[in-house]
């Protein structure tokens, strides 16, 4: 789940920078080649030597060591994002396998429950406060939803009461009225 790709090159009227070019080349490299470069970036080689090799092998000339340092920081961030995305996908698969019947609301409740336990176990009260804030937002949303449903139910029932006065002698209309009243009660729970 890498960061969104920015417009590269002359679309904005600006020439493509060496950093933009390197990022674009990087995305097209085979995984084995990317692994080679990661190994080189993690080695004790001098930045200047790495920049020369990048220019020779990838046709990208970084003008200064600081640019290579920035690229390495960008790459590290991308790798962390990709690893996080993979963990999220694996966690989703695992949870759905263990609890296929769970709804999103049940998953949300479990996340909050686990966050509270993690807070107590580790003393990470920043996490606890974030969990509490999320929990309060969810409770507020549920309350507002219930208020809306109650208001809707009240309006519909008062309209039905008015309708009831006009259908007293019609048995078919009274049957439809009773069915509609039951449907309102069920659908506004």
């Amino acid at each position: 789940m890498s960061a969104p790709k920015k417009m590269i090159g002359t679309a904005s009227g600006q020439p493509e920078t060496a950093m933009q070019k390197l990022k674009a080349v990087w995305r097209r490299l085979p995984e084995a080649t990317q692994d080679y470069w990661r190994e080189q970036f993690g080695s004790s080689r001098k930045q200047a030597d790495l920049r020369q090799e990048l220019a020779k092998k990838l046709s990208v000339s970084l003008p200064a060591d600081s640019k290579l340092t920035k690229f390495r920081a960008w790459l590290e961030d991308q790798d962390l994002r990709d690893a996080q995305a993979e963990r999220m996908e694996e966690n989703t698969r695992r949870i759905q396998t263990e609890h296929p019947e769970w709804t999103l609301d049940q998953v949300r409740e479990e996340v909050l429950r686990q966050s509270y336990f993690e807070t107590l176990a580790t003393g990470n009260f920043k996490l606890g406060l974030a969990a509490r804030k999320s929990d309060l937002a969810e409770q507020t949303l549920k309350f507002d939803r219930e208020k809306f449903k109650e208001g809707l139910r009240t309006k519909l029932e008062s309209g039905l009461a008015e309708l009831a006065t006009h259908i007293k002698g019609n048995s078919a209309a009274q049957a439809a009225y009773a069915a509609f009243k039951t449907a309102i009660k069920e659908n506004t729970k």
Side-chain angles (χ1 to χ4, degrees):
M1 181 154 166
S2 296
K5 297 176 186 172
K6 292 182 181 177
M7 292 295 290
I8 297 176
T10 59
S12 64
Q14 300 293 321
E16 185 176 52
T17 66
M19 182 69 81
Q20 290 170 326
K21 187 175 179 184
L22 180 54
K23 289 176 182 179
V25 168
W26 181 265
R27 289 181 178 107
R28 293 187 303 265
L29 289 176
E31 193 172 325
T33 306
Q34 288 180 351
D35 290 343
Y36 166 78
W37 284 108
R38 280 186 183 93
E39 187 177 309
Q40 298 309 304
F41 296 151
S43 72
S44 60
R45 289 181 63 189
K46 292 181 181 178
Q47 296 253 59
D49 294 340
L50 289 171
R51 287 190 300 113
Q52 283 180 342
E53 187 176 352
L54 284 168
K56 181 180 175 187
K57 290 186 176 178
L58 302 180
S59 301
V60 177
S61 295
L62 294 175
D65 287 351
S66 63
K67 297 297 182 184
L68 181 55
T69 299
K70 285 183 179 180
F71 175 77
R72 291 168 64 179
W74 172 84
L75 180 59
E76 184 179 343
D77 181 62
Q78 294 305 300
D79 289 345
L80 289 171
R81 288 172 187 263
D82 291 343
Q84 181 183 14
E86 286 178 27
R87 278 192 311 275
M88 288 172 66
E89 287 177 21
E90 175 55 34
N91 290 340
T92 299
R93 277 192 296 276
R94 183 177 48 77
I95 296 296
Q96 287 176 338
T97 299
E98 292 173 6
H99 305 284
E101 75 287 354
W102 275 11
T103 65
L104 188 57
D105 284 338
Q106 288 170 311
V107 171
R108 189 178 300 109
E109 287 174 18
E110 183 63 16
V111 167
L112 283 170
R113 191 176 79 75
Q114 291 293 331
S115 295
Y116 285 134
F117 287 139
E118 181 72 12
T119 296
L120 289 174
T122 63
N124 181 353
F125 293 101
K126 188 175 182 180
L127 171 66
L129 291 172
R132 181 66 182 140
K133 183 177 180 181
S134 177
D135 195 10
L136 285 173
E138 182 66 24
Q139 288 176 11
T140 300
L141 182 63
K142 283 181 182 177
F143 178 73
D144 289 346
R145 192 179 303 133
E146 290 305 313
K147 255 175 58 175
F148 173 77
K149 284 182 179 181
E150 181 61 33
L152 179 62
R153 182 175 31 252
T154 301
K155 285 180 182 179
L156 289 171
E157 287 175 349
S158 96
L160 279 178
E162 180 68 26
L163 177 64
T165 62
H166 298 288
I167 61 168
K168 285 191 176 176
N170 186 334
S171 62
Q174 286 179 334
Y177 167 84
F180 191 64
K181 192 170 182 177
T182 302
I184 288 172
K185 194 177 256 185
E186 288 297 314
N187 290 308
T188 57
K189 284 184 179 178

